[in-house]
Short mmCIF file of all heavy atoms in Angstrom, two decimals:
data_model
loop_
_atom_site.label_atom_id
_atom_site.label_comp_id
_atom_site.label_asym_id
_atom_site.label_seq_id
_atom_site.Cartn_x
_atom_site.Cartn_y
_atom_site.Cartn_z
N VAL A 547 92.02 108.71 120.70
CA VAL A 547 93.21 108.72 119.92
C VAL A 547 92.71 108.41 118.41
O VAL A 547 92.11 107.39 118.31
CB VAL A 547 94.23 107.73 120.46
CG1 VAL A 547 95.40 107.62 119.46
CG2 VAL A 547 94.69 108.12 121.92
N ASP A 548 93.12 109.18 117.45
CA ASP A 548 92.79 108.97 116.02
C ASP A 548 93.99 108.32 115.48
O ASP A 548 94.92 108.95 115.09
CB ASP A 548 92.31 110.19 115.35
CG ASP A 548 91.78 110.02 114.05
OD1 ASP A 548 92.28 109.01 113.41
OD2 ASP A 548 90.86 110.77 113.62
N LEU A 549 93.81 106.96 115.17
CA LEU A 549 94.96 106.22 114.62
C LEU A 549 95.25 106.65 113.14
O LEU A 549 96.29 106.45 112.56
CB LEU A 549 94.82 104.67 114.75
CG LEU A 549 94.74 104.25 116.13
CD1 LEU A 549 94.47 102.73 116.09
CD2 LEU A 549 96.06 104.51 116.87
N GLY A 550 94.22 106.91 112.44
CA GLY A 550 94.22 107.40 111.06
C GLY A 550 95.03 108.63 110.82
O GLY A 550 95.89 108.78 109.97
N LYS A 551 94.60 109.69 111.59
CA LYS A 551 95.22 110.93 111.55
C LYS A 551 96.47 111.07 112.40
O LYS A 551 97.26 112.13 112.46
CB LYS A 551 94.30 112.13 111.91
CG LYS A 551 93.00 112.20 111.02
CD LYS A 551 92.12 113.28 111.46
CE LYS A 551 90.87 113.44 110.56
NZ LYS A 551 89.94 114.46 110.96
N GLU A 552 96.77 110.00 113.31
CA GLU A 552 97.87 109.96 114.16
C GLU A 552 97.87 111.25 115.13
O GLU A 552 98.81 111.94 115.29
CB GLU A 552 99.14 109.88 113.38
CG GLU A 552 99.39 108.63 112.68
CD GLU A 552 100.61 108.40 112.02
OE1 GLU A 552 101.59 109.21 112.31
OE2 GLU A 552 100.78 107.53 111.23
N THR A 553 96.67 111.45 115.68
CA THR A 553 96.51 112.53 116.66
C THR A 553 95.89 112.06 117.98
O THR A 553 95.20 111.01 118.01
CB THR A 553 95.65 113.71 116.11
OG1 THR A 553 94.33 113.12 115.71
CG2 THR A 553 96.28 114.29 114.91
N ALA A 554 96.08 112.84 118.99
CA ALA A 554 95.52 112.44 120.37
C ALA A 554 94.64 113.70 120.80
O ALA A 554 95.06 114.81 120.57
CB ALA A 554 96.59 112.12 121.26
N ASP A 555 93.67 113.35 121.59
CA ASP A 555 92.89 114.43 122.23
C ASP A 555 92.41 113.85 123.62
O ASP A 555 91.36 113.15 123.77
CB ASP A 555 91.68 114.85 121.40
CG ASP A 555 90.82 116.04 122.04
OD1 ASP A 555 91.21 116.53 123.11
OD2 ASP A 555 89.85 116.41 121.52
N LEU A 556 93.31 113.89 124.58
CA LEU A 556 93.20 113.34 125.91
C LEU A 556 93.17 114.28 127.00
O LEU A 556 93.87 115.34 126.96
CB LEU A 556 94.19 112.18 126.14
CG LEU A 556 94.29 111.13 125.14
CD1 LEU A 556 95.55 110.19 125.32
CD2 LEU A 556 93.01 110.16 125.17
N GLN A 557 92.49 113.97 128.08
CA GLN A 557 92.58 114.79 129.37
C GLN A 557 92.88 113.86 130.45
O GLN A 557 92.22 112.88 130.73
CB GLN A 557 91.25 115.59 129.54
CG GLN A 557 91.37 116.58 130.76
CD GLN A 557 90.19 117.33 130.83
OE1 GLN A 557 89.10 116.86 131.29
NE2 GLN A 557 90.14 118.61 130.48
N ILE A 558 93.92 114.33 131.26
CA ILE A 558 94.42 113.50 132.40
C ILE A 558 94.13 114.29 133.75
O ILE A 558 94.46 115.51 133.80
CB ILE A 558 95.89 113.26 132.28
CG1 ILE A 558 96.25 112.45 130.99
CG2 ILE A 558 96.43 112.44 133.44
CD1 ILE A 558 97.80 112.48 130.78
N ILE A 559 93.33 113.62 134.57
CA ILE A 559 92.90 114.34 135.81
C ILE A 559 93.45 113.41 137.02
O ILE A 559 93.12 112.27 136.93
CB ILE A 559 91.35 114.40 135.85
CG1 ILE A 559 90.94 115.24 134.57
CG2 ILE A 559 91.02 115.16 137.21
CD1 ILE A 559 89.37 115.43 134.64
N ALA A 560 94.07 114.01 137.94
CA ALA A 560 94.54 113.33 139.07
C ALA A 560 93.48 113.71 140.24
O ALA A 560 93.27 114.80 140.55
CB ALA A 560 95.91 113.77 139.59
N HIS A 561 92.94 112.56 140.84
CA HIS A 561 91.85 112.77 141.99
C HIS A 561 92.61 112.32 143.24
O HIS A 561 92.75 111.23 143.53
CB HIS A 561 90.64 111.94 141.69
CG HIS A 561 90.04 112.10 140.41
ND1 HIS A 561 89.03 113.12 140.05
CD2 HIS A 561 90.22 111.54 139.19
CE1 HIS A 561 88.66 113.06 138.92
NE2 HIS A 561 89.32 112.10 138.32
N PRO A 562 92.97 113.29 144.05
CA PRO A 562 93.62 112.93 145.36
C PRO A 562 92.62 112.11 146.25
O PRO A 562 91.44 112.31 146.27
CB PRO A 562 93.89 114.28 146.12
CG PRO A 562 93.85 115.30 144.87
CD PRO A 562 92.83 114.70 143.91
N LYS A 563 93.24 111.18 146.91
CA LYS A 563 92.51 110.28 147.78
C LYS A 563 92.23 110.93 149.12
O LYS A 563 91.27 110.63 149.84
CB LYS A 563 93.08 108.94 148.05
CG LYS A 563 93.19 108.06 146.74
CD LYS A 563 93.69 106.64 147.04
CE LYS A 563 93.49 105.75 145.80
NZ LYS A 563 94.03 104.45 146.00
N ASP A 564 92.98 111.92 149.44
CA ASP A 564 92.72 112.77 150.58
C ASP A 564 91.67 113.79 150.27
O ASP A 564 91.97 114.69 149.45
CB ASP A 564 94.03 113.38 151.10
CG ASP A 564 93.82 114.06 152.45
OD1 ASP A 564 92.61 114.43 152.73
OD2 ASP A 564 94.90 114.44 153.03
N VAL A 565 90.34 113.72 150.72
CA VAL A 565 89.36 114.50 150.13
C VAL A 565 89.47 115.98 150.69
O VAL A 565 88.77 116.79 150.25
CB VAL A 565 88.05 113.95 150.75
CG1 VAL A 565 87.73 112.62 150.03
CG2 VAL A 565 87.94 113.79 152.20
N SER A 566 90.46 116.13 151.60
CA SER A 566 90.66 117.55 152.01
C SER A 566 91.35 118.35 151.02
O SER A 566 91.66 119.59 151.14
CB SER A 566 91.40 117.46 153.38
OG SER A 566 92.68 116.99 153.32
N LEU A 567 92.07 117.66 150.14
CA LEU A 567 92.91 118.29 149.17
C LEU A 567 92.13 118.43 147.89
O LEU A 567 91.30 117.68 147.41
CB LEU A 567 94.11 117.44 148.79
CG LEU A 567 95.05 117.20 150.07
CD1 LEU A 567 96.20 116.35 149.65
CD2 LEU A 567 95.58 118.53 150.56
N SER A 568 92.44 119.61 147.18
CA SER A 568 91.84 119.79 145.87
C SER A 568 92.72 119.18 144.71
O SER A 568 93.90 119.06 144.89
CB SER A 568 91.67 121.33 145.59
OG SER A 568 90.79 122.01 146.51
#
Side-chain angles (χ1 to χ4, degrees):
V547 173
D548 190 329
L549 298 176
K551 296 180 180 178
E552 296 188 6
T553 59
D555 185 3
L556 300 169
Q557 187 174 73
I558 304 172
I559 303 176
H561 305 273
K563 291 189 174 181
D564 186 343
V565 295
S566 66
L567 299 175
S568 296

